[in-house]
Amino acid sequence: MWASPMVIRVEWALRLKGVEYEYVDEDLANKSADLLRYNPVTKKVPVLVHDGKPIAESTIIVEYIDEAWNGGYPIMAADPYERAQARFWARYAEDKVRALYAIFSTTSEAQRKAAHEAQQCLKTLETALEGKKFFGGDAVGYVDIIVGWYAHWLPVVEEVCGVSVVTDEELPLLKAWFGRLLAVDVLKAALPDRDRLLAANKARREQVLSA
Amino acid sequence: MWASPMVIRVEWALRLKGVEYEYVDEDLANKSADLLRYNPVTKKVPVLVHDGKPIAESTIIVEYIDEAWNGGYPIMAADPYERAQARFWARYAEDKVRALYAIFSTTSEAQRKAAHEAQQCLKTLETALEGKKFFGGDAVGYVDIIVGWYAHWLPVVEEVCGVSVVTDEELPLLKAWFGRLLAVDVLKAALPDRDRLLAANKARREQVLSA
């Protein structure tokens, strides 16, 4: 599903590894027989099919890609402690992402509250960037892949909802990392077109608010 | 915290690996300076401190233990696909655990609904046991460690709440696995006393319902 930030994680991991893949679009309003067969438990995208075997859940797929093509670009650090830290922050971000969705489904005071809560969570996440270029250190790593969608999607959400979340004043390290991440060619090349994403999110916002 | 099913995961992983450890009890109503220092982000137990470095989140700690003491008992399979499947089921169980908690905080019709929902989730989880002794195959593995607390805690919850969830009729594979898991000496030895757990859960249930 072209507008899904969970799908981009898998494409980024494959591209960083230099693995060729076929992208199959999925209509979530009318799920394909393949999706239901490959991911009968959660019926969600993304699903990676490798040698005929399906793997579901984007964070798990990214770890799988790192382990299955273990000779290439290292997504995870070799050190067990660094790996645990990366998993911790990825998990933190996954648990807190609801705060970001709340901005999308609210207006006025409730939206301001949601934006503030999202900002607090991101401030905590930002501490993992201190003194580093990327969450992974000098190069893009696991956490960068998991939360990297913020860089492209959050400014769109901010524009659609009329709020500011990631500002130079409040989240300077995260804001600077947005710029660095989007300058990585292999990541940039996989991103959906911004205007198309904006239009889709505007339509989705109207739909959510009128529901 | 002796009654925490998340803490038992860490103790089980350490015991399976044969790693000696010091268990430090934590009063969650009055969190220690150590807990706040070692896990400032979520302030939850368990936290493993290894060589002075803290690791938080039980599922992540278990993977860390497997990687840091990688010569001993294999918690995760070596094969990337099997690892991904194990992580998928662990994640599924983590996401669905709210259905189990709902039994605890409800009564009558709402409780029956919660118990039914929990049963449906467990039926899906049970499919991962088909044709196997443990989720890990012939031996206790990652998923067994993550969901193994069901075997000791769920019968207590059933007794406290007056519901049946894991029955021979509805969940035969899971029920049989309960028995096999609790027969593993190294796991059994770490379990909290059943009567004490029952009393604590009765008190907790009363507290939750009167809140």
Side-chain angles (χ1 to χ4, degrees):
Chain A
M1 209 288 273
W2 69 273
S4 161
M6 310 303 127
V7 170
I8 202 78
R9 295 168 170 172
V10 176
E11 294 202 75
W12 277 351
L14 290 167
R15 282 163 185 251
L16 284 167
K17 286 281 183 186
V19 176
E20 278 187 48
Y21 61 93
E22 183 195 358
Y23 171 89
V24 181
D25 206 42
E26 185 65 36
D27 175 6
L28 293 180
N30 185 18
K31 293 179 181 180
S32 71
D34 272 351
L35 180 59
L36 301 179
R37 179 164 59 100
Y38 284 135
N39 185 8
V41 175
T42 70
K43 303 174 183 71
K44 287 179 184 168
V45 292
V47 177
L48 176 72
V49 183
H50 180 209
D51 288 340
K53 289 184 292 188
I55 302 111
E57 289 291 324
S58 62
T59 58
I60 293 169
I61 298 172
V62 171
E63 283 213 63
Y64 172 80
I65 290 167
D66 198 35
E67 297 178 356
W69 289 274
N70 70 352
Y73 185 96
I75 291 172
M76 275 279 187
D79 176 62
Y81 189 73
E82 281 182 54
R83 297 162 72 88
Q85 292 307 101
R87 288 182 184 128
F88 177 83
W89 287 115
R91 170 75 181 258
Y92 177 80
E94 287 283 274
D95 285 349
K96 298 299 181 189
V97 80
R98 278 174 214 101
L100 297 178
Y101 288 137
I103 298 172
F104 211 80
S105 55
T106 52
T107 57
S108 59
E109 189 49 31
Q111 188 184 276
R112 266 193 298 278
K113 233 178 116 178
H116 179 75
E117 199 191 322
Q119 224 167 33
Q120 298 311 308
C121 296
L122 293 173
K123 278 185 187 182
T124 301
L125 179 67
E126 199 190 46
T127 62
L129 262 178
E130 277 166 19
K132 295 193 292 188
K133 217 173 141 191
F134 295 103
F135 286 97
D138 287 332
V140 167
Y142 185 65
V143 179
D144 299 284
I145 292 171
I146 300 306
V147 303
W149 64 276
Y150 296 171
H152 193 60
W153 270 257
L154 277 193
V156 167
V157 170
E158 290 178 325
E159 189 173 333
V160 169
C161 301
V163 289
S164 290
V165 177
V166 181
T167 62
D168 286 326
E169 293 73 35
E170 296 291 332
L171 291 154
L173 300 183
L174 204 67
K175 189 80 188 277
W177 167 83
F178 276 17
R180 277 195 296 275
L181 196 88
L182 295 177
V184 178
D185 285 339
V186 69
L187 304 184
K188 208 165 106 181
L191 290 174
D193 178 73
R194 195 185 191 280
D195 289 341
R196 193 181 170 206
L197 197 61
L198 191 68
N201 275 278
K202 267 187 185 154
R204 181 99 185 99
R205 163 95 166 154
E206 277 166 32
Q207 197 184 28
V208 167
L209 291 184
S210 68
Chain B
M1 209 290 273
W2 68 273
S4 160
M6 310 301 129
V7 170
I8 203 77
R9 294 168 170 172
V10 176
E11 293 202 75
W12 279 350
L14 290 167
R15 282 164 185 252
L16 284 168
K17 285 283 184 187
V19 177
E20 277 186 47
Y21 62 93
E22 183 195 358
Y23 171 88
V24 180
D25 206 43
E26 185 67 35
D27 175 7
L28 293 180
N30 185 19
K31 293 179 181 182
S32 71
D34 272 351
L35 180 60
L36 301 178
R37 179 164 59 100
Y38 284 134
N39 186 7
V41 175
T42 69
K43 303 173 184 71
K44 286 180 184 166
V45 292
V47 177
L48 176 72
V49 183
H50 181 209
D51 289 339
K53 289 184 290 188
I55 302 112
E57 289 289 324
S58 62
T59 57
I60 293 168
I61 298 172
V62 172
E63 283 214 65
Y64 172 80
I65 290 167
D66 198 35
E67 296 179 355
W69 288 274
N70 69 352
Y73 184 97
I75 290 172
M76 275 280 188
D79 175 63
Y81 188 73
E82 281 182 53
R83 298 161 70 88
Q85 293 306 101
R87 289 181 183 127
F88 177 83
W89 287 114
R91 170 77 181 259
Y92 177 80
E94 288 283 272
D95 285 349
K96 297 299 180 188
V97 82
R98 276 174 216 103
L100 296 179
Y101 288 137
I103 298 173
F104 210 81
S105 56
T106 52
T107 56
S108 57
E109 189 48 32
Q111 187 185 275
R112 266 191 299 276
K113 234 178 116 178
H116 179 74
E117 199 191 323
Q119 223 167 34
Q120 298 310 308
C121 294
L122 293 174
K123 278 184 187 185
T124 300
L125 180 67
E126 199 188 46
T127 63
L129 263 178
E130 279 166 17
K132 294 193 291 188
K133 215 173 141 189
F134 295 104
F135 286 97
D138 287 332
V140 166
Y142 184 65
V143 179
D144 298 284
I145 292 172
I146 300 307
V147 302
W149 64 276
Y150 295 171
H152 192 59
W153 270 258
L154 277 193
V156 167
V157 170
E158 289 179 326
E159 189 173 333
V160 168
C161 300
V163 289
S164 289
V165 178
V166 181
T167 62
D168 286 326
E169 293 72 37
E170 295 292 331
L171 290 155
L173 299 182
L174 204 67
K175 189 79 189 278
W177 167 83
F178 275 18
R180 277 195 296 275
L181 196 89
L182 295 177
V184 177
D185 285 341
V186 70
L187 304 185
K188 209 164 105 181
L191 290 174
D193 178 73
R194 195 186 192 277
D195 289 341
R196 194 180 170 207
L197 198 60
L198 191 68
N201 275 277
K202 268 185 186 157
R204 182 100 184 97
R205 163 92 167 156
E206 277 166 32
Q207 198 184 28
V208 167
L209 291 184
S210 68

